[in-house]
Amino acid sequence: MRPRLTSGKAPALGTVRGSAWTALSALLFFAPWLCAQDDLRTLFPLQAPIYVGDANLSRLDLPVEVLAACSADLSDLRILDAQGNEVPYLLESGPESNRAVEVVRRYALEIVDVNRARSDRQEGPSIYRERYVLAAPPEVTPGDVWDLTVQTNQPEFVRRIRVAAAGDGSEVALIDDGSLFRLSDASRERTRLTLPRFTAGRLIVAIEGEEGVYLEPVFHLETSSSVPAREQARVILPVMSRQEDGRRTVIELERPRGVKADSLALRTSTVAFSRAVEVWDEGPGASNAMQGSKNLYRVQASAAVEDLEVPLGGVSGDRLRIVIDNGDSPPLTDISFVAGAQRPGLLFTLTPQSEGVVSGRLLFGGGRAFRPQYDLERLKGLLRPPRQGQQAQVAAQLYAPAVARLGEITKNPEFGDEPVLSFAMRPGGVVDPQLYTHRRTLRLNPSDAGLTRLTLTIEDLAAAQPDLRDVRIVDDQSRQWAYLTEQGTARSTAALDVAGVETKDGVSEYDLKLPARPVTIEQIELHADTEFFDREFELLAERGDTEFSLFTGRLRRRAGDRRPVAILVDARRIDSLKLKIHDRNDAPLALSRVEASFPAAQLYVAAPAGEYTLLLGNTEDQPPSYELARVSTAVLAVRSNDAQAGPLEENPQYSTGARLAMGSGPQQVLLWVALVLVVGVLAVVTLKMVRQQPAGEAAATQEPRSSDPGENS
């Protein structure tokens, strides 16, 4: 179990922020790539030929290989025709995966003529007759099957109905003796009649009944068609890391940004199991929330009975963190995960060529292009329910066009392989390494786009200021390189050693040793051998010389529940931690393991490959101000590689004298000099006053001697 995280406090500058200014700045940076048609071809590293067989609207379902290479919003896609001209398209996600869609076409019928008459009878109630001539809409085609719907405000009625098609001076009966009714039970009514196929331009409807009123209805024609369910894309997500964390298995998966995962399926060779599984959204732009949880199981008998799929919410980060609760069971074997995702498609028109000749070309990938603004995008509104009338007719055409075929994917020879972030790959101002108490060596290996990701450890965060204002990445010439910071999108876990336990007056006090100090804790998990307990507790923390209560409550575990007990706390920076449990007359809890969850931070660096140094620990530092922050949205939209970091160590270049010489140091030196001078002056004045005191006064201060010889003896 893990807490839901809110966005952490990040530096005022150098921090990820989304805004209109960000988008405008990004446009200014990328504008040189978007100036000319010739430049368009240089933006995309991959290409594939497109084959169509119809000059009308065609649809190309994007394969997984294309989705995995594109940005999250699929903005880096373009279609060129056989002459190399850009072709507008509509990016459409289509029906929900594995679910058919009903498209309903509904038309109001115009009443051309109406005739109402009442026939009185001596031996019964009067008969009310209504005759309507309706104009059928031009969209009615001979192959459609239509329903005639009758809407009226009358709460109860029973009527006979006759429907005929009129044309060329003749009538053809469609329904000769039908019935309409609505009874007091609202669920019992018939106001819809299915008509045989007809081609006439008018309908004649005759209604008669005895309730003493006319129905005065409104008529509609409706027809529906079903769009087949679209096959769901299945993508194996690469495993980035796996840890056996006590009684849990924690796995981090890489999610291609272009793959919108709707579900996650577990694959394992374990024959029989039942495990609680949580899926967390992580990485740049992530929601920092659990996106799915479910108890997955498999029972292998004569046939396998299993449920191995977790539905997911709106994942947005580039990683998924999977937490499997193993309890006391061994971890699952041969684990892998398959994401289920919708397969969006492109709707466009291309001129078909002869058999085997390419009709156009798909360019994609690279993350360098902005989402095009084609007029076809306006048709998306017609695909949203309710799909009625002309909207439904357009939706039916958009959902079921001719299918285009994509050829072999190859590298685009016209692609300009300069990193997309090359504009930002320049050193900044020089910093003095003597001002920083700690350092870590780095090896940056940027992605093709030019971005490297560095995750700060617990020790890094302890050495740095809480808002990371004193974090710098420098080269061998002490020049700093720009980075973006994301806090709250990642976290780390560590075991807390129980340094000592003291029990007195029914209260047990556990001294929990932190992995570094100071640290910020979000959650603590207690693993206890005791099966059932319900006790008061208090978490006590220290910061500096101040002790305070971090959290109070009750520790509860039901009988038969072996899961660890989680304590969520307000994230605060602390130096030490103690746990007090009120046992009263019960035996103290035997804690087999204590784990803590710490918020982490990630730095995204735009710099060439090479050796660098991470500097931390300067209380006088100010937050960095990098131009890169103005295009943070564009920067984080590209892929990044992980940096290789050496161990954190004390900076051998650190100098206290250099620290005092910078920032507020001179003021501190002047203060100490002034204090020393004041003390010296006071000492000199006091000594001078003592030396100038009269001798008689000095003698008077001595005790008088006794004249008794006995005392002297």
Side-chain angles (χ1 to χ4, degrees):
M1 178 178 180
R2 294 178 51 204
R4 178 172 181 169
L5 304 180
T6 57
S7 298
K9 293 182 179 179
L13 295 171
T15 304
V16 179
R17 299 180 186 272
S19 63
W21 171 246
T22 299
L24 177 60
S25 302
L27 180 61
L28 294 177
F29 273 115
F30 290 119
W33 283 325
L34 306 175
C35 292
Q37 174 76 18
D38 292 340
D39 292 335
L40 182 66
R41 301 183 183 90
T42 67
L43 301 181
F44 308 94
L46 299 171
Q47 66 174 3
I50 302 175
Y51 303 90
V52 300
D54 197 316
N56 296 318
L57 193 67
S58 297
R59 177 187 180 88
L60 176 64
D61 288 333
L62 297 175
V64 171
E65 294 79 5
V66 173
L67 297 176
C70 291
S71 301
D73 60 353
L74 302 183
S75 57
D76 46 352
L77 286 167
R78 294 296 187 275
I79 296 177
L80 304 181
D81 62 16
Q83 289 72 42
N85 301 311
E86 186 174 357
V87 177
Y89 63 79
L90 168 63
L91 178 62
E92 187 270 307
S93 58
E96 204 172 324
S97 299
N98 300 327
R99 181 178 299 178
V101 172
E102 287 291 323
V103 178
V104 179
R105 294 158 59 192
R106 189 170 188 262
Y107 300 97
L109 296 179
E110 179 187 359
I111 299 177
V112 179
D113 187 29
V114 60
N115 184 17
R116 299 185 182 95
R118 186 183 71 184
S119 297
D120 297 327
R121 297 184 297 175
Q122 293 182 354
E123 299 179 355
S126 300
I127 298 177
Y128 288 76
R129 293 186 174 90
E130 303 169 73
R131 184 178 184 274
Y132 300 90
V133 179
L134 310 174
E139 289 83 1
V140 175
T141 57
D144 295 330
V145 176
W146 295 88
D147 286 348
L148 177 68
T149 65
V150 182
Q151 295 179 336
T152 177
N153 293 328
Q154 296 301 324
E156 296 183 39
F157 59 86
V158 177
R159 293 289 195 275
R160 295 177 61 192
I161 184 171
R162 181 180 182 274
V163 183
D168 300 329
S170 62
E171 292 185 10
V172 178
L174 301 179
I175 296 177
D176 192 42
D177 189 13
S179 63
L180 298 174
F181 60 84
R182 178 180 290 154
L183 305 181
S184 57
D185 183 357
S187 63
R188 300 180 63 186
E189 70 172 27
R190 178 188 295 166
T191 58
R192 176 186 296 268
L193 301 168
T194 301
L195 304 179
R197 289 183 173 88
F198 64 95
T199 58
R202 292 191 175 185
L203 295 175
I204 299 175
V205 180
I207 302 173
E208 64 177 40
E210 302 175 346
E211 279 82 5
V213 293
Y214 297 110
L215 292 186
E216 301 184 55
V218 175
F219 300 95
H220 290 85
L221 280 181
E222 286 188 5
T223 187
S224 63
S225 58
S226 179
V227 178
R230 184 168 299 165
E231 182 182 358
Q232 194 179 45
R234 310 296 290 182
V235 186
I236 298 178
L237 300 185
V239 175
M240 301 177 63
S241 66
R242 172 173 174 169
Q243 295 179 349
E244 300 303 332
D245 191 5
R247 296 154 59 94
R248 306 179 308 174
T249 300
V250 180
I251 299 175
E252 191 173 37
L253 304 176
E254 179 182 0
R255 182 186 70 85
R257 288 183 175 272
V259 176
K260 300 294 185 183
D262 300 321
S263 62
L264 191 66
L266 167 68
R267 290 180 177 176
T268 175
S269 60
T270 303
V271 174
F273 63 89
S274 177
R275 308 284 169 96
V277 176
E278 297 175 353
V279 183
W280 293 78
D281 187 24
E282 298 198 347
S287 60
N288 304 324
M290 185 170 64
Q291 293 297 324
S293 64
K294 193 176 181 181
N295 192 75
L296 304 183
Y297 64 86
R298 172 187 287 160
V299 178
Q300 185 75 47
S302 56
V305 179
E306 61 185 23
D307 182 1
L308 303 179
E309 192 162 304
V310 181
L312 300 181
V315 295
S316 52
D318 62 358
R319 300 191 304 279
L320 295 177
R321 184 180 177 90
I322 317 301
V323 180
I324 304 174
D325 187 355
N326 300 318
D328 293 326
S329 302
L332 300 176
T333 56
D334 301 326
I335 292 179
S336 62
F337 290 91
V338 179
Q342 286 183 288
R343 293 189 61 186
L346 305 180
L347 298 174
F348 55 89
T349 56
L350 279 176
T351 303
Q353 307 294 321
S354 57
E355 184 67 25
V357 178
V358 175
S359 302
R361 184 163 55 134
L362 177 69
L363 302 176
F364 62 95
R368 303 186 179 192
F370 288 91
R371 186 73 174 267
Q373 301 296 318
Y374 298 134
D375 55 351
L376 290 179
E377 286 291 323
R378 301 172 188 169
L379 296 177
K380 272 191 174 180
L382 300 177
L383 298 175
R384 303 188 186 100
R387 305 174 184 91
Q388 298 179 357
Q390 289 185 341
Q391 175 189 357
Q393 193 171 13
V394 174
Q397 296 297 322
L398 294 179
Y399 275 143
V403 178
R405 181 172 61 88
L406 194 67
E408 181 184 1
I409 297 174
T410 59
K411 292 184 178 180
N412 176 16
E414 300 175 86
F415 172 63
D417 56 0
E418 185 181 35
V420 66
L421 297 180
S422 59
F423 68 88
M425 288 185 172
R426 60 177 187 269
V430 175
V431 299
D432 186 356
Q434 299 179 91
L435 304 177
Y436 298 86
T437 60
H438 291 77
R439 74 177 186 181
R440 186 189 292 273
T441 59
L442 298 178
R443 172 67 186 176
L444 300 187
N445 181 29
S447 63
D448 294 340
L451 195 64
T452 303
R453 176 178 61 202
L454 171 65
T455 300
L456 299 181
T457 66
I458 299 173
E459 293 77 14
D460 295 332
L461 298 176
Q465 294 300 300
D467 59 0
L468 305 183
R469 65 176 58 209
D470 56 340
V471 174
R472 297 294 186 273
I473 296 176
V474 300
D475 57 20
D476 56 1
Q477 301 178 48
S478 298
R479 300 176 301 177
Q480 56 185 314
W481 288 80
Y483 66 85
L484 298 175
T485 306
E486 274 208 341
Q487 290 183 284
T489 59
R491 59 204 48 82
S492 58
T493 59
L496 304 183
D497 294 334
V498 181
V501 182
E502 181 179 346
T503 301
K504 183 179 180 181
D505 298 331
V507 178
S508 296
E509 185 174 294
Y510 302 80
D511 187 9
L512 305 179
K513 186 177 181 180
L514 299 174
R517 52 183 299 182
V519 295
T520 302
I521 290 183
E522 294 177 325
Q523 175 177 285
I524 294 174
E525 285 189 350
L526 304 178
H527 299 252
D529 297 332
T530 308
E531 183 174 347
F532 166 79
F533 50 82
D534 187 348
R535 308 182 187 186
E536 295 178 357
F537 79 94
E538 182 178 16
L539 276 175
L540 296 173
E542 285 186 357
R543 182 71 175 112
D545 297 329
T546 304
E547 184 179 68
F548 56 91
S549 177
L550 190 62
F551 195 86
T552 59
R554 298 191 71 88
L555 297 176
R556 292 188 177 95
R557 177 191 274 175
R558 297 178 180 178
D561 188 355
R562 305 286 295 180
R563 292 177 299 176
V565 178
I567 304 173
L568 301 179
V569 299
D570 293 333
R572 296 183 62 177
R573 203 165 167 91
I574 61 175
D575 293 323
S576 65
L577 186 65
K578 291 182 180 180
L579 172 64
K580 282 187 175 182
I581 301 178
H582 295 262
D583 306 314
R584 300 192 185 277
N585 294 325
D586 290 307
L589 294 180
L591 299 181
S592 59
R593 184 178 175 87
V594 180
E595 297 173 351
S597 175
F598 306 87
Q602 293 178 318
L603 309 184
Y604 292 86
V605 192
E611 302 294 334
Y612 296 82
T613 302
L614 175 71
L615 297 176
L616 320 120
N618 181 0
T619 57
E620 301 296 329
D621 223 341
Q622 298 299 317
S625 176
Y626 299 129
E627 292 175 331
L628 195 66
R630 299 182 180 181
V631 288
S632 58
T633 302
V635 171
L636 294 180
V638 304
R639 288 177 174 79
S640 60
N641 289 341
D642 287 323
Q644 298 176 358
L648 182 69
E649 60 183 5
E650 293 184 357
N651 182 12
Q653 295 180 278
Y654 173 68
S655 169
T656 305
R659 173 75 65 84
L660 292 175
M662 299 293 294
S664 61
Q667 289 81 4
Q668 294 178 358
V669 173
L670 290 175
L671 176 62
W672 282 106
V673 170
L675 290 175
V676 170
L677 289 176
V678 169
V679 172
V681 170
L682 289 175
V684 171
V685 171
T686 303
L687 182 61
K688 189 174 183 179
M689 291 177 62
V690 170
R691 288 180 176 179
Q692 292 178 352
Q693 195 172 17
E697 294 181 5
T701 60
Q702 298 180 2
E703 294 184 4
R705 287 191 171 187
S706 173
S707 60
D708 187 351
E711 291 183 7
N712 293 332
S713 63

